[in-house]
Amino acid sequence: MKKIFLLTVALVLGGTCAMHAQVNNEEEITVTNPNGQQEQIELPEGMTTALDSLLSLYNTRTYLKPDTSCNMPDVNPVYDKNTYKDRLARIPSIIELPYNDVVQKFIDRYSSQLRRSVSYMLGAQNFYMPIFEQALETYGLPLELKFLPVIESALNPKAVSRVGATGLWQFMLGTGKRYGLEVNSLVDERRDPVKASYAAAHYLSDLYKIFGDWNLVIAAYNAGPEKVSKAIHRSKGEADYWKIYPYLPQETRGYVPAFIAANYIMNYYCDHNICPMMTDLPAKSDTIVVSRDLHFEQIAHVLDISTERLAELNPQYRHNVINGSSKPSALRLPASLVNSFIDNEDSIFAYTTEDMFSKRHEVEVNEPEPSYGRKAPSYERRYSSRSRHYSRRGRSSRRTRGRSKSVTVRSGDTLSEIAARNHTTVKKLRKLNRISGSSIRAGKKLKVK
């Protein structure tokens, strides 16, 4: 029988892989190269997502809950090297999933620091994996690619990276448009799980036609095909991810190992005492097409459904407005409400408030009165007027600066709870207080505006 060393023992003895997986900060991991030198590898975006941002999502709050019947100890067992190799070899996969020390670091990260995020993803995968698998199957791609969004976005459909990549599959603007995703001020189809999944499958299919190797395809999905091609050129034509590894960008060096680790943890979570969150699947939904501008508030008022639920069903609409007058647009509703929408369509479109559609379609130009014979103001009057203007602006500026507000963190508080109480967002709290993660301590003062 293979020996299992508990993590607590490993910390005392200091001789296991987990000890070498210490992180320098929340966005990097340290590995030792074959020359014995340490180097930092950037973590993929999905491995730096704060847990409270995942738990604050509508689907999480509505359909996911902790499994109270799970009685596994909250301890991460560490296994010998051959156990990890054997488990990876047993995953049914066309894509090569080899083991090495770099892969081990990422397995350690998922099974220890990120174990609660893994618990969330194991529950949330019930929402998204059927969509991913159908899109991949349509293009004849390996189904294990369904775990790419695990490392891209941590299965957060609202994820936006620091460089603007958006949605579950983290499409950049140009790539998304190239693969048929509409993006404008009102619509961003990169946030649509279905359309983005088919666009991602199409993109992955095209990348395989270029490189013919799935590990290179995965690297190119992260870095772009140009950077992978340059790395192949610098390594004198080597078409092997592990041979071109030193010539890749820092994040891409960790991208394929993270993908392998994601496949491992999503298959062997039980062996690391990780309990999936329990899932109540949402009610079946269906789509109808609208050809006039429509605000979520109009639907919510007549059909008695929350705008938050509508936004979750229709994440592509950025401002809760369906621009149906531009072109016929899809509206997804719970299947039970589709007939109600059809029966009450006139009432829905008739219900409006002034702030729903504030854009004016026609305006009159205000013509100034003629100023014949008007005397120019004297120098003293102009100077006096400017002085009053500067004085008012100074008072206004001082009043603006004086509007900041701070609160004291209470025991058990999370950033999302503080944001909700003070009518702001977790993103704004992080920016105001220069917080990169989600850790806050009781008694600390936080700026909320």
Side-chain angles (χ1 to χ4, degrees):
M1 181 181 291
K2 296 179 175 69
K3 294 183 180 179
I4 299 176
F5 303 92
L6 292 180
L7 184 60
T8 49
V9 177
L11 291 171
V12 175
L13 297 179
T16 69
C17 300
M19 288 299 292
H20 299 295
Q22 295 293 314
V23 288
N24 293 334
N25 56 49
E26 292 192 351
E27 297 185 353
E28 291 183 346
I29 195 167
T30 300
V31 298
T32 304
N33 65 27
N35 298 324
Q37 299 173 322
Q38 288 192 333
E39 61 175 327
Q40 278 70 48
I41 297 178
E42 290 184 24
L43 295 174
E45 200 81 28
M47 296 186 75
T48 64
T49 303
L51 178 62
D52 63 349
S53 68
L54 299 175
L55 298 181
S56 67
L57 294 169
Y58 178 86
N59 273 351
T60 309
R61 292 184 282 109
T62 309
Y63 303 113
L64 295 181
K65 59 185 177 182
D67 184 357
T68 54
S69 66
C70 181
N71 55 9
M72 289 191 288
D74 189 18
V75 176
N76 176 34
V78 176
Y79 300 89
D80 62 82
K81 177 179 176 178
N82 288 329
T83 300
Y84 293 108
K85 288 171 62 177
D86 179 62
R87 288 176 179 168
L88 285 169
R90 284 190 280 115
I91 294 175
S93 171
I94 291 176
I95 300 174
E96 189 177 59
L97 302 174
Y99 175 89
N100 55 40
D101 289 342
V102 182
V103 171
Q104 180 68 61
K105 303 298 187 288
F106 283 89
I107 292 175
D108 291 343
R109 170 54 76 98
Y110 271 127
S111 59
S112 54
Q113 292 102 315
L114 296 178
R115 58 193 291 108
R116 284 170 180 77
S117 295
V118 172
S119 178
Y120 157 80
M121 290 188 288
L122 288 165
Q125 71 174 340
N126 294 303
F127 306 136
Y128 305 116
M129 290 302 171
I131 300 171
F132 300 163
E133 289 175 343
Q134 185 58 59
L136 294 168
E137 185 71 21
T138 299
Y139 281 87
L141 306 183
L143 294 186
E144 50 270 31
L145 289 168
K146 66 186 179 183
F147 294 123
L148 268 180
V150 167
I151 59 174
E152 282 286 348
S153 61
L155 298 187
N156 178 1
K158 296 183 177 180
V160 179
S161 78
R162 59 182 177 272
V163 294
T166 298
L168 289 161
W169 291 89
Q170 289 289 279
F171 270 106
M172 293 296 290
L173 182 63
T175 308
K177 286 190 169 186
R178 193 159 66 249
Y179 282 87
L181 298 177
E182 183 181 1
V183 183
N184 57 45
S185 295
L186 293 177
V187 176
D188 188 347
E189 290 183 339
R190 295 176 296 172
R191 305 184 344 174
D192 184 318
V194 177
K195 290 187 176 181
S197 295
Y198 280 87
H202 189 177
Y203 184 33
L204 289 164
S205 177
D206 285 351
L207 289 174
Y208 189 74
K209 292 172 185 174
I210 297 171
F211 296 106
D213 176 274
W214 284 113
N215 281 332
L216 293 179
V217 166
I218 294 166
Y221 189 88
N222 173 254
E226 298 84 3
K227 290 182 180 177
V228 173
S229 295
K230 286 178 184 176
I232 291 173
H233 180 73
R234 288 178 181 136
S235 63
K236 299 186 175 11
E238 292 284 358
D240 181 329
Y241 173 82
W242 301 101
K243 296 285 180 63
I244 69 171
Y245 177 88
Y247 305 101
L248 291 167
Q250 274 192 331
E251 182 181 337
T252 310
R253 292 181 204 173
Y255 196 75
V256 170
F259 173 76
I260 296 169
N263 272 268
Y264 173 90
I265 203 66
M266 298 297 279
N267 280 281
Y268 297 108
Y269 55 89
C270 273
D271 295 291
H272 292 272
N273 295 328
I274 297 174
C275 298
M277 293 186 77
M278 296 181 68
T279 311
D280 292 324
L281 289 177
K284 185 180 177 182
S285 62
D286 202 353
T287 58
I288 56 177
V289 175
V290 296
S291 300
R292 295 159 60 187
D293 288 352
L294 185 63
H295 197 288
F296 287 178
E297 286 282 0
Q298 294 173 281
I299 307 167
H301 177 78
V302 177
L303 298 188
D304 193 25
I305 180 176
S306 70
T307 55
E308 190 176 21
R309 175 71 175 129
L310 288 169
E312 189 65 33
L313 287 167
N314 301 274
Q316 69 272 33
Y317 298 119
R318 306 173 84 163
H319 300 286
N320 290 359
V321 173
I322 304 170
N323 191 205
S325 62
S326 175
K327 69 173 186 178
S329 302
L331 166 65
R332 183 169 290 277
L333 290 170
S336 60
L337 292 180
V338 170
N339 287 337
S340 296
F341 181 94
I342 295 170
D343 294 340
N344 295 279
E345 192 166 350
D346 290 340
S347 299
I348 291 170
F349 282 106
Y351 176 78
T352 58
T353 61
E354 290 182 1
D355 58 343
M356 279 185 194
F357 301 105
S358 57
K359 285 197 306 181
R360 297 173 296 173
H361 297 289
E362 183 178 355
V363 295
E364 291 184 0
V365 179
N366 184 24
E367 294 289 347
E369 293 181 6
S371 56
Y372 306 120
R374 184 179 295 169
K375 290 184 178 180
S378 66
Y379 172 80
E380 290 78 5
R381 287 172 59 195
R382 291 200 307 273
Y383 180 80
S384 175
S385 175
R386 273 203 308 274
S387 297
R388 288 195 300 273
H389 169 69
Y390 291 143
S391 177
R392 285 196 301 271
R393 190 173 66 179
R395 288 196 298 271
S396 173
S397 176
R398 285 194 294 274
R399 283 198 301 269
T400 302
R401 287 196 298 267
R403 287 176 186 163
S404 64
K405 177 183 174 184
S406 297
V407 297
T408 302
V409 178
R410 301 196 293 250
S411 178
D413 271 352
T414 65
L415 285 177
S416 57
E417 289 171 343
I418 295 171
R421 283 202 304 267
N422 293 278
H423 310 291
T424 184
T425 65
V426 172
K427 184 176 179 181
K428 288 179 181 176
L429 286 180
R430 285 205 183 98
K431 186 175 180 180
L432 277 171
N433 297 278
R434 298 181 181 178
I435 298 172
S436 59
S438 58
S439 298
I440 52 174
R441 68 173 188 275
K444 183 179 178 180
K445 290 274 190 183
L446 282 185
K447 292 179 181 177
V448 294
K449 64 184 289 190

